[in-house]
Amino acid sequence: MAKYRIRGEQKLEGDIRVKGAKNSALPVLAAVLLSEKPVILHDIPKLIDIDNMVLILSSIGCKIKREGNTLIVDPSSVNSWVIPDKYVKEIRSSIVMLGAVLARMKKALITYPGGCEIGQRPINLHLQGLKKLGVKINDSHGYLECQADRLVGANIHLDYPSVGATENIMLAATKAEGTTVIRNAAKEPEIIDLQNFINSMGGRVAGAGSNTITIKGVESFHGSEYRVLPDRIVAGTYLAAAAITGSEITISNVNFEHIQSMVTKLREAGCSIINFNNSVRIKAPTRLRAIEHTKTYPYPGFPTDMQALLMSMLTVAQGTSIITENIFENRFKHVPEMIRMGANIRTEGKIAVIQGVNRLKGAQVNASDLRGGAALVLAGLNAEGETIVENIHHIDRGYEGLEQKLRSLGADIERL
Ligand code: UD1
C-alpha cells in the first residue's frame, strides 16, 4: 500500500491551479447517458473515482477517450442496464448511475451500495423519489432491480436535502412525461453544475441552487461540450495547507462564492484572503487563532468535506475550538491519528473540542477516508520531524497529484 513521507515545518510559497470538481464530474458523467450523441467534458480530474466511473460507463457500452483532462464520451451504443458490482462497491457515488440508466433504459440493476468509512449512508431518499416517478424497485439479496414502464413527473419533497438523492431524481426526471418538482432539494454548487450540463444537452431543468428544482421532461438530448466547475473542496484543502504552515500562496481556478464558508473561518483564524480574477491569495499568520464553534451543514453551511481539514489547522491554533459534525456519524476517524501527532482533541458523539498546541510532532498515521487522509497530510506539513501517512489510496480518490502540487509549493513530501 502506498504511503506519503512528509518532513514538516517547511513554509509554502507559489501558485497552483485547481482542477474540475470530482463531485461534479461524477454526476455529469452519469448524465452523459441521457444523450445518444458524443459529449466532450473538460477539466475532468485524473482520480481513481473518475477512472471507476469511466469503467462503469464502458461496461454498459459507452466509448470513452481521455486526452489529458478532457474526456470524449460516445454514449450512442449503450446496451446494458446492469451496473457492475465491483465498481459500485469501490465508488459509492456510482449510485447516481441509477437515475441516469433508468432515464435511458427504463430499467437498471445495481448492487446496494451499503455503508462506507464515514457512515451508514442510506439511499432511502433516492429510492422514495424514484418510486414517485413510477419506478418499481425490487430490493432482494442486496440488489436493487428497478423498472419503469413509464417515467412520469411528480412532486417530490425530500425529508433532507441529500445531494445524491437530488441528483438521482433530477437525472431520472429529465426524460419523464410531464414536470417534476423537487422540494427541499440540495443547493450545492455541484447541483447547479449538473443542471447546467443537462441543459447544455437540451434538458429543461430550472431552480438548481435554490431549494426547489423543476424538471420538465424532454424526449431527446443532443451532444455537448462542457467544462465542470472548479473543485471547492480541493481549493479549501490548499487554503488550509497554507494556514497550517503559516504561508502565503495563490490558488487559481477558484469560484470564490463557493468557498465562502471556509474563507470566513480562515479569516476568523487570522488569515488574510483576497479574491481576484478567479484566484484567491491567502496569507496566514505565524500562529492561527482558535475558532469558537464550527458546525457542518448542507451548502451554504460549512461543508462536512472540509471538517477534518479545518480540524487539522485548529490543532495548532491558539486557544480552544469546537467542531460539531452534523452530516455523517463516523467522520472523526482522523482524530486518534492527530492525537498520535501530539494534537489535543477530545470527542463526545458528534462534537470535537480542540485545544491548540504549538506544533504537531511527526508520527506514523493511517488515512482511513479521503478528507481525513488529506487532513493528516496537512498535519504532517506542520509537524516537527517525519510523518508517514499510510493507505493513501483513500487520498488518491479525490486529489490529483497532491504531492506534486505541494512539492511545487516547497513542501517536502514524497510517495513511497
Ligand atoms: C455528497 C458528496 C460528499 C459530501 C456529501 C455531503 C458526492 C459524490 N459526494 O455525498 O462528498 O460529503 O454530499 O455534502 O457528491 N441521507 C439519508 N438518506 C438518503 C441519502 C442521504 O439519510 O437517501 C443522509 C446521509 O446519511 C447523510 C446526509 O443525508 O447523513 C447527507 O448525505 P448526502 O447529501 O446524500 O451525501 P452524498 O450525496 O452521499
Side-chain angles (χ1 to χ4, degrees):
M1 286 291 182
K3 39 181 113 164
Y4 279 137
R5 176 166 60 207
I6 304 157
R7 295 188 182 92
E9 296 188 276
Q10 307 286 331
K11 286 237 188 229
L12 308 181
E13 193 187 346
D15 301 3
I16 47 163
R17 180 185 180 275
V18 166
K19 295 266 169 65
K22 164 180 89 76
N23 287 352
S24 252
L26 292 169
V28 160
L29 275 166
V32 169
L33 293 178
L34 302 175
S35 176
E36 311 252 347
K37 299 280 171 4
V39 167
I40 301 172
L41 300 172
H42 297 293
D43 223 11
I44 302 293
K46 291 182 188 158
L47 302 170
I48 291 175
D49 274 10
I50 301 287
D51 292 345
N52 279 325
M53 199 63 157
V54 165
L55 289 170
I56 294 179
L57 289 171
S58 308
S59 75
I60 61 173
C62 286
K63 296 190 187 72
I64 306 177
K65 212 163 68 182
R66 189 188 256 285
E67 287 172 6
N69 286 98
T70 296
L71 285 180
I72 301 145
V73 189
D74 177 358
S76 58
S77 43
V78 167
N79 55 11
S80 169
W81 55 87
V82 180
I83 303 158
D85 291 10
K86 61 176 176 178
Y87 305 125
V88 179
K89 291 201 172 111
E90 280 190 27
I91 158 191
R92 202 200 160 279
S93 39
S94 55
I95 188 67
V96 78
M97 288 292 290
L98 186 53
V101 172
L102 276 167
R104 172 80 181 243
M105 313 288 281
K106 302 278 188 295
K107 46 181 164 176
L109 180 72
I110 190 168
T111 185
Y112 208 96
C116 75
E117 317 85 40
I118 61 174
Q120 289 181 22
R121 309 196 79 170
I123 52 165
N124 55 315
L125 301 172
H126 303 231
L127 302 185
Q128 282 164 19
L130 295 174
K131 281 181 189 162
K132 283 226 157 188
L133 297 174
V135 181
K136 307 239 170 352
I137 302 175
N138 181 15
D139 180 351
S140 76
H141 304 286
Y143 284 91
L144 295 165
E145 290 169 15
C146 308
Q147 186 144 12
D149 299 333
R150 293 164 61 208
L151 287 165
V152 182
N155 279 316
I156 296 168
H157 185 105
L158 293 177
D159 272 351
Y160 182 92
S162 152
V163 174
T166 303
E167 292 168 344
N168 244 334
I169 297 164
M170 269 168 88
L171 287 165
T174 50
K175 284 188 166 180
E177 296 163 34
T179 301
T180 298
V181 179
I182 310 174
R183 294 202 169 75
N184 198 25
K187 295 186 282 198
E188 269 67 3
E190 292 75 20
I191 305 279
I192 304 179
D193 212 32
L194 180 60
Q195 165 181 287
N196 292 345
F197 175 61
I198 292 171
N199 290 348
S200 79
M201 295 189 296
R204 294 176 68 197
V205 185
S210 77
N211 53 18
T212 304
I213 301 177
T214 306
I215 305 120
K216 293 195 170 127
V218 297
E219 277 180 14
S220 69
F221 287 84
H222 49 73
S224 166
E225 183 162 358
Y226 193 79
R227 176 177 297 275
V228 295
L229 95 180
D231 197 313
R232 63 195 165 101
I233 306 299
V234 171
T237 302
Y238 290 111
L239 288 172
I244 200 171
T245 53
S247 303
E248 186 171 354
I249 65 168
T250 302
I251 308 168
S252 61
N253 196 33
V254 177
N255 183 321
F256 197 63
E257 192 191 325
H258 296 169
I259 58 165
Q260 274 306 304
S261 57
M262 182 62 180
V263 166
T264 304
K265 295 293 168 185
L266 286 160
R267 285 181 172 149
E268 211 177 318
C271 297
S272 97
I273 294 176
I274 51 166
N275 162 37
F276 62 100
N277 303 338
N278 288 331
S279 295
V280 51
R281 181 150 191 88
I282 176 168
K283 186 170 190 295
T286 319
R287 183 91 199 264
L288 297 167
R289 289 193 297 266
I291 299 175
E292 205 179 320
H293 197 166
T294 305
K295 302 175 188 177
T296 62
Y297 281 114
Y299 189 86
F302 189 84
T304 174
D305 285 354
M306 283 302 306
Q307 177 259 112
L309 298 148
L310 180 75
M311 192 183 296
S312 69
M313 273 170 53
L314 296 177
T315 60
V316 292
Q318 186 154 33
T320 305
S321 308
I322 299 175
I323 297 182
T324 301
E325 170 56 57
N326 285 314
I327 314 291
F328 292 110
E329 64 276 17
N330 204 2
R331 220 172 185 181
F332 281 153
K333 285 194 173 161
H334 47 278
V335 169
E337 306 303 301
M338 288 180 180
I339 291 173
R340 288 165 70 83
M341 298 179 71
N344 182 347
I345 309 171
R346 277 171 297 131
T347 57
E348 172 106 30
K350 58 185 193 171
I351 298 172
V353 180
I354 306 122
Q355 179 71 51
V357 297
N358 266 325
R359 188 168 283 283
L360 296 170
K361 296 188 178 64
Q364 186 148 346
V365 290
N366 181 39
S368 52
D369 62 80
L370 165 56
R371 306 301 170 188
L376 295 175
V377 171
L378 300 198
L381 295 176
N382 171 278
E384 180 191 320
E386 186 175 284
T387 297
I388 303 285
V389 181
E390 297 193 306
N391 283 318
I392 58 173
H393 60 278
H394 289 294
I395 302 174
D396 292 336
R397 287 186 36 230
Y399 294 90
E400 178 182 323
L402 180 67
E403 71 268 27
Q404 286 91 337
K405 284 211 170 77
L406 288 173
R407 263 207 306 272
S408 78
L409 294 172
D412 186 345
I413 174 170
E414 60 184 324
R415 181 179 287 255
L416 303 178

